[in-house]
Amino acid sequence: MLPEVPESVLVDLGRTGAGPETLALLVRDQDVRRLLVLRAVLEAAEAASPRLCSAGQKARLRQDWALLAEADRSAQRGGPSGSTPARARLLYPLTGAWGWRCLRDLSEGEDLSASGTEHADRLAHDLAHFSALAAAAAVRAGVPFSVRLTVFEGKLVLPSLGALQTARSGVTDVEVRHENERLILRQAAAPDLVVHPESDFGAWSGSHAWTSAYALPGLLPGTPPVPLDDLDPYRTVRDPRHRALSGPTTLDNAERKQWLQAWSSTSVALRSGGEQRVTEAMTLLRCLVPLASPPGSTGSGHGSCSATRREAFGALLSSVPSDPVTLAATLVHELHHAKLAALSDMVPLHRAPGDERYFAPWRPDPRPYDGLLQGAYSHLAIADYYQRRALAEGTAQRESAWAQHARYRVQVGAVLPALVASPDLTPRGRRFVDEMIAAYEHMAAHPAPRGHTARAQAYVNSARTLWRQRHAFARRPNE
């Protein structure tokens, strides 16, 4: 999408760092890709057969795009031409997830027989969400409008504003009118509902049928709020890669307070592991998606889960954190998955076949080469984070930090030989892995206390033995 990736970016990212220019490069490239996906959705819908996308649906998509364009023009007339409400909606991480799902369904749908009504119904549901995106952007831009939105499954979500629980379940229509800085929602069998948008995020109403969108304060004073998005219908997806991931959840007041309590000190916890960790989070993180706590999890943070989604760059999915340090470590871990995925979109790092399987001490299942690289990279970043915390003067939990550092560094050391030995690395991928090794070796200048390292090594040895017993068919060089 953008010019060739400079060598300095590979060095910067390979060592789990990222200066402002490197981070800006990743973000710009991902933003361009998201806009291209949106354009591809609109073009694919326009070209789709009437069975898959009717003339009425195509006309509606054009109307929605016109409303988005008006919102963009209105915002530019009122101030600088940088980010506008329309662009913010289109570049929002979960809009990317929506776009990729629509694009897949439009592509696959043409190959289905004429009886594929279930597929067409799902696509109709998804395409209707574009109307809600356009309406929300117009509200944020202060553009008056009146539109009729089609609602499926009894809930209308207006991104960044909130959600209406409709009086009727199933498919129904809601008339949405925006005027005089308020929204009026009209539906059959229910009184009109008035909603008042708030300045940054959310909207309030006196009706129990309305749930406001919620955001956490900016990571640092004076920075934009971070959406804690428990409403967007595209916030999670069933993915075999995330079998252990719990489902999405809608937060109650107590759970929102728990998130807020952990979040309020996360910037301090991040900074204790390096100032660059705060910069990374402020640049890359655009929303948090709360997940239900997995079965068997405890209040101490054991059994929690988190993930990123490649099609939703900027979103981080996580169960409720137990404390700021746990949340900070989760941010470091998941944002490095996002960094590596974004870099891999820009430059191929390897050409390993997907059927290769390797031992990884952090997973019980055999991993493909790409998964091994992703896991090693994120674990390397966490090892760096905890070492910096352990070395920071005044760290109250120094021994715990050393134990965590030893655990992650030893795990990375167990898989680095397999990463380096692969003949499938591209020249730029080999440079990237060489920089990972340099970062790994640099940590040896400040080793963890011997007992922590010995316990970490014993754990890896046990995990390797068990892995060999369970997966003899997948024996690889890093066994």
Side-chain angles (χ1 to χ4, degrees), residues 4-67:
E4 185 177 355
V5 176
E7 193 81 0
S8 60
V9 170
L10 292 172
V11 174
D12 201 12
L13 290 174
R15 297 193 176 215
T16 77
E21 291 184 2
T22 295
L23 294 173
L25 179 69
L26 297 181
V27 170
R28 285 198 306 272
D29 183 74
Q30 287 294 311
D31 284 350
V32 170
R33 291 175 189 275
R34 189 158 295 157
L35 292 175
L36 288 176
V37 168
L38 175 62
R39 173 53 62 186
V41 169
L42 298 177
E43 291 178 353
E46 195 67 42
S49 67
R51 176 185 60 81
L52 198 61
C53 188
S54 68
Q57 288 174 303
K58 294 175 183 180
R60 183 54 190 267
L61 288 171
R62 291 192 290 269
Q63 292 169 10
D64 296 336
W65 183 255
L67 183 57

Short mmCIF file of all heavy atoms in Angstrom, two decimals, residues 4-67:
data_model
loop_
_atom_site.label_atom_id
_atom_site.label_comp_id
_atom_site.label_asym_id
_atom_site.label_seq_id
_atom_site.Cartn_x
_atom_site.Cartn_y
_atom_site.Cartn_z
N GLU A 4 8.17 0.88 -0.03
CA GLU A 4 8.85 -0.27 0.59
C GLU A 4 9.23 0.03 2.03
O GLU A 4 9.63 1.13 2.38
CB GLU A 4 10.10 -0.62 -0.22
CG GLU A 4 10.80 -1.86 0.28
CD GLU A 4 11.99 -2.23 -0.59
OE1 GLU A 4 12.18 -1.55 -1.62
OE2 GLU A 4 12.70 -3.17 -0.24
N VAL A 5 9.11 -0.98 2.86
CA VAL A 5 9.39 -0.83 4.29
C VAL A 5 10.88 -0.56 4.47
O VAL A 5 11.72 -1.36 4.04
CB VAL A 5 8.98 -2.10 5.05
CG1 VAL A 5 9.36 -1.98 6.52
CG2 VAL A 5 7.49 -2.34 4.90
N PRO A 6 11.25 0.54 5.12
CA PRO A 6 12.68 0.84 5.33
C PRO A 6 13.33 -0.21 6.24
O PRO A 6 12.67 -0.82 7.07
CB PRO A 6 12.65 2.22 6.00
CG PRO A 6 11.30 2.78 5.71
CD PRO A 6 10.38 1.62 5.61
N GLU A 7 14.63 -0.38 6.06
CA GLU A 7 15.39 -1.32 6.91
C GLU A 7 15.27 -0.95 8.37
O GLU A 7 15.22 -1.82 9.25
CB GLU A 7 16.86 -1.32 6.47
CG GLU A 7 17.67 -2.45 7.04
CD GLU A 7 17.49 -3.74 6.26
OE1 GLU A 7 16.73 -3.74 5.27
OE2 GLU A 7 18.11 -4.74 6.64
N SER A 8 15.22 0.34 8.66
CA SER A 8 15.14 0.79 10.05
C SER A 8 13.87 0.31 10.73
O SER A 8 13.85 0.10 11.95
CB SER A 8 15.21 2.32 10.11
OG SER A 8 14.13 2.91 9.38
N VAL A 9 12.79 0.13 9.97
CA VAL A 9 11.54 -0.35 10.55
C VAL A 9 11.68 -1.81 10.98
O VAL A 9 11.20 -2.21 12.04
CB VAL A 9 10.38 -0.18 9.55
CG1 VAL A 9 9.12 -0.90 10.03
CG2 VAL A 9 10.09 1.30 9.34
N LEU A 10 12.35 -2.62 10.16
CA LEU A 10 12.58 -4.01 10.52
C LEU A 10 13.42 -4.11 11.79
O LEU A 10 13.15 -4.94 12.67
CB LEU A 10 13.28 -4.75 9.38
CG LEU A 10 12.47 -4.95 8.10
CD1 LEU A 10 13.36 -5.51 7.00
CD2 LEU A 10 11.29 -5.88 8.35
N VAL A 11 14.43 -3.25 11.91
CA VAL A 11 15.27 -3.24 13.11
C VAL A 11 14.46 -2.81 14.32
O VAL A 11 14.50 -3.44 15.38
CB VAL A 11 16.49 -2.31 12.90
CG1 VAL A 11 17.29 -2.18 14.18
CG2 VAL A 11 17.36 -2.83 11.77
N ASP A 12 13.72 -1.73 14.15
CA ASP A 12 12.92 -1.18 15.23
C ASP A 12 11.91 -2.20 15.74
O ASP A 12 11.83 -2.50 16.94
CB ASP A 12 12.18 0.06 14.70
CG ASP A 12 11.73 0.99 15.81
OD1 ASP A 12 12.17 0.81 16.96
OD2 ASP A 12 10.94 1.91 15.51
N LEU A 13 11.15 -2.78 14.84
CA LEU A 13 10.12 -3.74 15.23
C LEU A 13 10.72 -5.06 15.70
O LEU A 13 10.20 -5.70 16.63
CB LEU A 13 9.16 -3.98 14.07
CG LEU A 13 8.25 -2.81 13.71
CD1 LEU A 13 7.46 -3.12 12.44
CD2 LEU A 13 7.29 -2.48 14.84
N GLY A 14 11.78 -5.52 15.05
CA GLY A 14 12.39 -6.79 15.42
C GLY A 14 12.85 -6.81 16.86
O GLY A 14 12.80 -7.85 17.53
N ARG A 15 13.26 -5.67 17.37
CA ARG A 15 13.71 -5.57 18.76
C ARG A 15 12.55 -5.24 19.70
O ARG A 15 12.78 -4.82 20.83
CB ARG A 15 14.82 -4.54 18.87
CG ARG A 15 16.06 -4.94 18.07
CD ARG A 15 17.26 -4.11 18.41
NE ARG A 15 18.44 -4.58 17.69
CZ ARG A 15 19.68 -4.57 18.19
NH1 ARG A 15 19.89 -4.13 19.41
NH2 ARG A 15 20.69 -5.02 17.48
N THR A 16 11.34 -5.40 19.22
CA THR A 16 10.08 -5.14 19.95
C THR A 16 9.93 -3.67 20.31
O THR A 16 9.16 -3.32 21.21
CB THR A 16 9.92 -6.00 21.22
OG1 THR A 16 10.71 -5.50 22.29
CG2 THR A 16 10.21 -7.46 20.94
N GLY A 17 10.65 -2.81 19.62
CA GLY A 17 10.46 -1.39 19.82
C GLY A 17 9.54 -0.85 18.74
O GLY A 17 8.99 -1.60 17.94
N ALA A 18 9.37 0.43 18.73
CA ALA A 18 8.62 1.10 17.66
C ALA A 18 8.57 2.58 17.99
O ALA A 18 7.85 3.00 18.89
CB ALA A 18 7.22 0.54 17.51
N GLY A 19 9.34 3.36 17.25
CA GLY A 19 9.29 4.80 17.41
C GLY A 19 8.04 5.37 16.77
O GLY A 19 7.30 4.66 16.07
N PRO A 20 7.78 6.63 16.97
CA PRO A 20 6.57 7.25 16.42
C PRO A 20 6.44 7.10 14.91
O PRO A 20 5.34 6.86 14.40
CB PRO A 20 6.73 8.73 16.82
CG PRO A 20 7.59 8.70 18.04
CD PRO A 20 8.53 7.56 17.84
N GLU A 21 7.56 7.22 14.17
CA GLU A 21 7.47 7.09 12.71
C GLU A 21 7.12 5.67 12.29
O GLU A 21 6.32 5.47 11.36
CB GLU A 21 8.80 7.52 12.08
CG GLU A 21 9.09 9.01 12.21
CD GLU A 21 10.38 9.40 11.49
OE1 GLU A 21 11.01 8.51 10.88
OE2 GLU A 21 10.74 10.59 11.54
N THR A 22 7.67 4.68 12.97
CA THR A 22 7.35 3.29 12.65
C THR A 22 5.89 3.00 12.94
O THR A 22 5.19 2.37 12.13
CB THR A 22 8.25 2.34 13.45
OG1 THR A 22 9.60 2.51 13.04
CG2 THR A 22 7.84 0.89 13.25
N LEU A 23 5.42 3.44 14.10
CA LEU A 23 4.02 3.21 14.45
C LEU A 23 3.09 3.91 13.46
O LEU A 23 2.07 3.34 13.05
CB LEU A 23 3.75 3.71 15.88
CG LEU A 23 4.47 2.96 17.00
CD1 LEU A 23 4.25 3.66 18.33
CD2 LEU A 23 3.99 1.52 17.08
N ALA A 24 3.44 5.13 13.09
CA ALA A 24 2.60 5.88 12.14
C ALA A 24 2.55 5.16 10.79
O ALA A 24 1.50 5.15 10.13
CB ALA A 24 3.14 7.30 11.97
N LEU A 25 3.66 4.56 10.38
CA LEU A 25 3.69 3.81 9.12
C LEU A 25 2.72 2.63 9.16
O LEU A 25 1.94 2.41 8.23
CB LEU A 25 5.10 3.32 8.85
CG LEU A 25 5.30 2.48 7.58
CD1 LEU A 25 5.12 3.35 6.34
CD2 LEU A 25 6.67 1.82 7.58
N LEU A 26 2.73 1.87 10.27
CA LEU A 26 1.82 0.74 10.41
C LEU A 26 0.37 1.19 10.37
O LEU A 26 -0.48 0.59 9.70
CB LEU A 26 2.10 0.00 11.71
CG LEU A 26 3.47 -0.64 11.89
CD1 LEU A 26 3.55 -1.34 13.25
CD2 LEU A 26 3.79 -1.61 10.77
N VAL A 27 0.07 2.27 11.09
CA VAL A 27 -1.31 2.75 11.17
C VAL A 27 -1.79 3.25 9.81
O VAL A 27 -2.91 2.94 9.39
CB VAL A 27 -1.43 3.85 12.24
CG1 VAL A 27 -2.80 4.54 12.17
CG2 VAL A 27 -1.21 3.28 13.64
N ARG A 28 -0.96 4.02 9.12
CA ARG A 28 -1.37 4.53 7.81
C ARG A 28 -1.66 3.40 6.84
O ARG A 28 -2.65 3.44 6.10
CB ARG A 28 -0.28 5.45 7.22
CG ARG A 28 -0.18 6.81 7.85
CD ARG A 28 0.58 7.78 6.96
NE ARG A 28 1.89 7.28 6.57
CZ ARG A 28 3.00 7.45 7.29
NH1 ARG A 28 2.94 8.09 8.45
NH2 ARG A 28 4.16 6.99 6.85
N ASP A 29 -0.81 2.39 6.84
CA ASP A 29 -1.01 1.29 5.92
C ASP A 29 -2.30 0.55 6.25
O ASP A 29 -3.07 0.20 5.34
CB ASP A 29 0.17 0.32 6.00
CG ASP A 29 0.04 -0.82 5.02
OD1 ASP A 29 0.24 -0.57 3.82
OD2 ASP A 29 -0.29 -1.94 5.44
N GLN A 30 -2.56 0.31 7.52
CA GLN A 30 -3.79 -0.39 7.90
C GLN A 30 -5.03 0.45 7.60
O GLN A 30 -6.07 -0.09 7.20
CB GLN A 30 -3.74 -0.76 9.38
CG GLN A 30 -2.78 -1.88 9.71
CD GLN A 30 -3.21 -3.21 9.11
OE1 GLN A 30 -4.36 -3.62 9.24
NE2 GLN A 30 -2.28 -3.88 8.44
N ASP A 31 -4.93 1.76 7.76
CA ASP A 31 -6.06 2.63 7.43
C ASP A 31 -6.38 2.56 5.94
O ASP A 31 -7.56 2.49 5.53
CB ASP A 31 -5.77 4.07 7.83
CG ASP A 31 -5.88 4.31 9.34
OD1 ASP A 31 -6.36 3.39 10.03
OD2 ASP A 31 -5.48 5.39 9.80
N VAL A 32 -5.35 2.59 5.12
CA VAL A 32 -5.56 2.49 3.67
C VAL A 32 -6.22 1.16 3.32
O VAL A 32 -7.15 1.09 2.52
CB VAL A 32 -4.23 2.67 2.91
CG1 VAL A 32 -4.40 2.32 1.44
CG2 VAL A 32 -3.72 4.09 3.05
N ARG A 33 -5.74 0.09 3.92
CA ARG A 33 -6.31 -1.23 3.66
C ARG A 33 -7.78 -1.28 4.06
O ARG A 33 -8.61 -1.88 3.37
CB ARG A 33 -5.52 -2.31 4.40
CG ARG A 33 -4.13 -2.51 3.85
CD ARG A 33 -3.32 -3.50 4.69
NE ARG A 33 -1.93 -3.50 4.26
CZ ARG A 33 -1.46 -4.24 3.25
NH1 ARG A 33 -2.28 -5.05 2.60
NH2 ARG A 33 -0.19 -4.18 2.90
N ARG A 34 -8.13 -0.66 5.18
CA ARG A 34 -9.53 -0.68 5.63
C ARG A 34 -10.43 0.06 4.65
O ARG A 34 -11.53 -0.39 4.34
CB ARG A 34 -9.63 -0.07 7.04
CG ARG A 34 -10.98 -0.25 7.68
CD ARG A 34 -10.87 -0.13 9.18
NE ARG A 34 -10.07 -1.22 9.72
CZ ARG A 34 -9.42 -1.18 10.88
NH1 ARG A 34 -9.46 -0.08 11.62
NH2 ARG A 34 -8.73 -2.21 11.31
N LEU A 35 -9.96 1.19 4.16
CA LEU A 35 -10.76 1.94 3.18
C LEU A 35 -10.90 1.16 1.88
O LEU A 35 -11.96 1.20 1.23
CB LEU A 35 -10.12 3.31 2.93
CG LEU A 35 -10.15 4.28 4.12
CD1 LEU A 35 -9.37 5.55 3.78
CD2 LEU A 35 -11.58 4.61 4.53
N LEU A 36 -9.85 0.45 1.49
CA LEU A 36 -9.94 -0.36 0.27
C LEU A 36 -10.92 -1.51 0.43
O LEU A 36 -11.63 -1.88 -0.52
CB LEU A 36 -8.55 -0.89 -0.10
CG LEU A 36 -7.56 0.15 -0.65
CD1 LEU A 36 -6.19 -0.48 -0.88
CD2 LEU A 36 -8.08 0.78 -1.93
N VAL A 37 -10.95 -2.09 1.62
CA VAL A 37 -11.93 -3.17 1.88
C VAL A 37 -13.34 -2.61 1.76
O VAL A 37 -14.23 -3.23 1.16
CB VAL A 37 -11.69 -3.80 3.26
CG1 VAL A 37 -12.88 -4.69 3.66
CG2 VAL A 37 -10.42 -4.61 3.26
N LEU A 38 -13.57 -1.43 2.33
CA LEU A 38 -14.89 -0.81 2.24
C LEU A 38 -15.27 -0.56 0.78
O LEU A 38 -16.40 -0.86 0.36
CB LEU A 38 -14.91 0.50 3.02
CG LEU A 38 -16.20 1.31 2.91
CD1 LEU A 38 -17.39 0.53 3.47
CD2 LEU A 38 -16.06 2.64 3.61
N ARG A 39 -14.35 0.00 0.02
CA ARG A 39 -14.63 0.24 -1.39
C ARG A 39 -14.91 -1.08 -2.11
O ARG A 39 -15.82 -1.15 -2.96
CB ARG A 39 -13.44 0.96 -2.03
CG ARG A 39 -13.52 1.12 -3.54
CD ARG A 39 -14.81 1.76 -3.99
NE ARG A 39 -14.99 3.09 -3.47
CZ ARG A 39 -16.09 3.82 -3.63
NH1 ARG A 39 -17.13 3.29 -4.27
NH2 ARG A 39 -16.18 5.03 -3.13
N ALA A 40 -14.18 -2.13 -1.76
CA ALA A 40 -14.40 -3.44 -2.38
C ALA A 40 -15.78 -3.98 -2.04
O ALA A 40 -16.44 -4.60 -2.88
CB ALA A 40 -13.32 -4.42 -1.95
N VAL A 41 -16.24 -3.75 -0.82
CA VAL A 41 -17.59 -4.19 -0.42
C VAL A 41 -18.64 -3.50 -1.27
O VAL A 41 -19.56 -4.14 -1.81
CB VAL A 41 -17.83 -3.91 1.08
CG1 VAL A 41 -19.31 -4.11 1.43
CG2 VAL A 41 -16.97 -4.82 1.95
N LEU A 42 -18.51 -2.19 -1.43
CA LEU A 42 -19.50 -1.44 -2.19
C LEU A 42 -19.50 -1.85 -3.66
O LEU A 42 -20.55 -1.98 -4.29
CB LEU A 42 -19.23 0.06 -2.05
CG LEU A 42 -19.34 0.62 -0.62
CD1 LEU A 42 -18.99 2.10 -0.61
CD2 LEU A 42 -20.73 0.40 -0.04
N GLU A 43 -18.31 -2.07 -4.21
CA GLU A 43 -18.23 -2.48 -5.62
C GLU A 43 -18.76 -3.90 -5.81
O GLU A 43 -19.46 -4.19 -6.79
CB GLU A 43 -16.78 -2.38 -6.09
CG GLU A 43 -16.29 -0.94 -6.20
CD GLU A 43 -14.84 -0.86 -6.62
OE1 GLU A 43 -14.18 -1.93 -6.69
OE2 GLU A 43 -14.34 0.26 -6.86
N ALA A 44 -18.46 -4.79 -4.85
CA ALA A 44 -18.95 -6.16 -4.96
C ALA A 44 -20.47 -6.21 -4.82
O ALA A 44 -21.15 -6.98 -5.51
CB ALA A 44 -18.30 -7.04 -3.89
N ALA A 45 -21.02 -5.38 -3.95
CA ALA A 45 -22.47 -5.33 -3.79
C ALA A 45 -23.13 -4.80 -5.07
O ALA A 45 -24.17 -5.31 -5.52
CB ALA A 45 -22.84 -4.46 -2.60
N GLU A 46 -22.54 -3.79 -5.66
CA GLU A 46 -23.09 -3.20 -6.88
C GLU A 46 -23.08 -4.23 -8.03
O GLU A 46 -23.99 -4.26 -8.86
CB GLU A 46 -22.28 -1.97 -7.28
CG GLU A 46 -22.94 -1.08 -8.31
CD GLU A 46 -24.20 -0.40 -7.79
OE1 GLU A 46 -24.20 0.07 -6.63
OE2 GLU A 46 -25.19 -0.36 -8.54
N ALA A 47 -22.06 -5.08 -8.04
CA ALA A 47 -21.94 -6.06 -9.11
C ALA A 47 -22.65 -7.38 -8.81
O ALA A 47 -22.76 -8.24 -9.69
CB ALA A 47 -20.46 -6.35 -9.39
N ALA A 48 -23.16 -7.53 -7.60
CA ALA A 48 -23.76 -8.81 -7.20
C ALA A 48 -25.08 -9.05 -7.92
O ALA A 48 -25.78 -8.10 -8.35
CB ALA A 48 -23.99 -8.83 -5.69
N SER A 49 -25.43 -10.31 -8.04
CA SER A 49 -26.70 -10.67 -8.67
C SER A 49 -27.87 -10.21 -7.80
O SER A 49 -27.72 -10.07 -6.58
CB SER A 49 -26.77 -12.18 -8.85
OG SER A 49 -26.82 -12.83 -7.59
N PRO A 50 -29.04 -9.98 -8.39
CA PRO A 50 -30.21 -9.56 -7.60
C PRO A 50 -30.57 -10.56 -6.51
O PRO A 50 -31.13 -10.16 -5.49
CB PRO A 50 -31.32 -9.45 -8.66
CG PRO A 50 -30.59 -9.23 -9.95
CD PRO A 50 -29.32 -10.00 -9.83
N ARG A 51 -30.26 -11.83 -6.72
CA ARG A 51 -30.56 -12.83 -5.70
C ARG A 51 -29.77 -12.56 -4.42
O ARG A 51 -30.25 -12.77 -3.31
CB ARG A 51 -30.20 -14.22 -6.22
CG ARG A 51 -30.36 -15.35 -5.22
CD ARG A 51 -29.87 -16.67 -5.78
NE ARG A 51 -28.45 -16.63 -6.14
CZ ARG A 51 -27.46 -16.78 -5.26
NH1 ARG A 51 -27.73 -16.95 -3.98
NH2 ARG A 51 -26.21 -16.75 -5.65
N LEU A 52 -28.56 -12.04 -4.58
CA LEU A 52 -27.70 -11.81 -3.44
C LEU A 52 -27.84 -10.40 -2.88
O LEU A 52 -27.78 -10.19 -1.67
CB LEU A 52 -26.24 -12.08 -3.84
CG LEU A 52 -25.24 -12.30 -2.72
CD1 LEU A 52 -25.61 -13.51 -1.88
CD2 LEU A 52 -23.84 -12.48 -3.30
N CYS A 53 -28.01 -9.42 -3.76
CA CYS A 53 -28.14 -8.03 -3.34
C CYS A 53 -29.14 -7.35 -4.28
O CYS A 53 -28.85 -7.12 -5.45
CB CYS A 53 -26.79 -7.33 -3.39
SG CYS A 53 -26.77 -5.67 -2.67
N SER A 54 -30.32 -7.06 -3.77
CA SER A 54 -31.40 -6.54 -4.60
C SER A 54 -31.13 -5.11 -5.05
O SER A 54 -30.25 -4.42 -4.52
CB SER A 54 -32.71 -6.59 -3.83
OG SER A 54 -32.68 -5.65 -2.77
N ALA A 55 -31.90 -4.66 -6.00
CA ALA A 55 -31.78 -3.28 -6.48
C ALA A 55 -32.04 -2.30 -5.34
O ALA A 55 -31.39 -1.25 -5.24
CB ALA A 55 -32.75 -3.04 -7.63
N GLY A 56 -33.00 -2.63 -4.47
CA GLY A 56 -33.28 -1.77 -3.33
C GLY A 56 -32.12 -1.69 -2.36
O GLY A 56 -31.80 -0.62 -1.83
N GLN A 57 -31.46 -2.82 -2.12
CA GLN A 57 -30.29 -2.81 -1.23
C GLN A 57 -29.16 -2.01 -1.83
O GLN A 57 -28.46 -1.27 -1.13
CB GLN A 57 -29.83 -4.25 -0.97
CG GLN A 57 -30.76 -5.06 -0.07
CD GLN A 57 -30.34 -6.51 0.03
OE1 GLN A 57 -30.22 -7.21 -0.98
NE2 GLN A 57 -30.09 -6.97 1.25
N LYS A 58 -28.96 -2.12 -3.14
CA LYS A 58 -27.90 -1.35 -3.79
C LYS A 58 -28.18 0.14 -3.70
O LYS A 58 -27.28 0.94 -3.44
CB LYS A 58 -27.75 -1.80 -5.24
CG LYS A 58 -27.26 -3.24 -5.38
CD LYS A 58 -27.25 -3.68 -6.84
CE LYS A 58 -26.83 -5.15 -6.96
NZ LYS A 58 -26.80 -5.63 -8.34
N ALA A 59 -29.43 0.50 -3.92
CA ALA A 59 -29.80 1.92 -3.82
C ALA A 59 -29.57 2.43 -2.40
O ALA A 59 -29.11 3.56 -2.19
CB ALA A 59 -31.25 2.10 -4.24
N ARG A 60 -29.88 1.60 -1.42
CA ARG A 60 -29.71 2.01 -0.02
C ARG A 60 -28.22 2.22 0.31
O ARG A 60 -27.86 3.17 1.01
CB ARG A 60 -30.32 0.97 0.91
CG ARG A 60 -30.24 1.37 2.39
CD ARG A 60 -30.87 2.76 2.57
NE ARG A 60 -30.64 3.31 3.86
CZ ARG A 60 -31.48 3.17 4.89
NH1 ARG A 60 -32.59 2.46 4.74
NH2 ARG A 60 -31.23 3.74 6.03
N LEU A 61 -27.36 1.34 -0.19
CA LEU A 61 -25.93 1.51 0.04
C LEU A 61 -25.43 2.82 -0.56
O LEU A 61 -24.61 3.53 0.04
CB LEU A 61 -25.16 0.33 -0.56
CG LEU A 61 -25.29 -1.01 0.18
CD1 LEU A 61 -24.66 -2.12 -0.64
CD2 LEU A 61 -24.64 -0.94 1.55
N ARG A 62 -25.95 3.19 -1.74
CA ARG A 62 -25.55 4.46 -2.35
C ARG A 62 -26.04 5.64 -1.50
O ARG A 62 -25.32 6.64 -1.34
CB ARG A 62 -26.09 4.55 -3.78
CG ARG A 62 -25.42 3.57 -4.74
CD ARG A 62 -25.77 3.88 -6.19
NE ARG A 62 -27.17 3.58 -6.49
CZ ARG A 62 -27.61 2.42 -6.95
NH1 ARG A 62 -26.75 1.42 -7.16
NH2 ARG A 62 -28.88 2.22 -7.22
N GLN A 63 -27.24 5.54 -0.95
CA GLN A 63 -27.76 6.60 -0.09
C GLN A 63 -26.91 6.73 1.19
O GLN A 63 -26.62 7.84 1.66
CB GLN A 63 -29.21 6.30 0.28
CG GLN A 63 -30.18 6.38 -0.90
CD GLN A 63 -31.54 5.81 -0.55
OE1 GLN A 63 -31.84 5.52 0.61
NE2 GLN A 63 -32.38 5.62 -1.56
N ASP A 64 -26.54 5.58 1.74
CA ASP A 64 -25.71 5.61 2.94
C ASP A 64 -24.36 6.27 2.66
O ASP A 64 -23.86 7.06 3.46
CB ASP A 64 -25.48 4.18 3.46
CG ASP A 64 -26.77 3.51 3.91
OD1 ASP A 64 -27.71 4.22 4.27
OD2 ASP A 64 -26.81 2.26 3.90
N TRP A 65 -23.78 5.93 1.52
CA TRP A 65 -22.50 6.53 1.16
C TRP A 65 -22.65 8.04 0.98
O TRP A 65 -21.76 8.81 1.38
CB TRP A 65 -21.95 5.89 -0.12
CG TRP A 65 -20.60 6.44 -0.48
CD1 TRP A 65 -20.30 7.32 -1.46
CD2 TRP A 65 -19.37 6.16 0.19
NE1 TRP A 65 -18.96 7.61 -1.47
CE2 TRP A 65 -18.36 6.90 -0.47
CE3 TRP A 65 -19.03 5.34 1.27
CZ2 TRP A 65 -17.03 6.85 -0.06
CZ3 TRP A 65 -17.69 5.30 1.67
CH2 TRP A 65 -16.72 6.05 1.00
N ALA A 66 -23.76 8.48 0.40
CA ALA A 66 -24.00 9.92 0.22
C ALA A 66 -24.10 10.61 1.58
O ALA A 66 -23.60 11.73 1.76
CB ALA A 66 -25.28 10.14 -0.59
N LEU A 67 -24.74 9.96 2.57
CA LEU A 67 -24.84 10.55 3.90
C LEU A 67 -23.46 10.62 4.56
O LEU A 67 -23.13 11.62 5.21
CB LEU A 67 -25.81 9.72 4.76
CG LEU A 67 -26.10 10.25 6.18
CD1 LEU A 67 -26.64 11.68 6.13
CD2 LEU A 67 -27.07 9.32 6.91
#
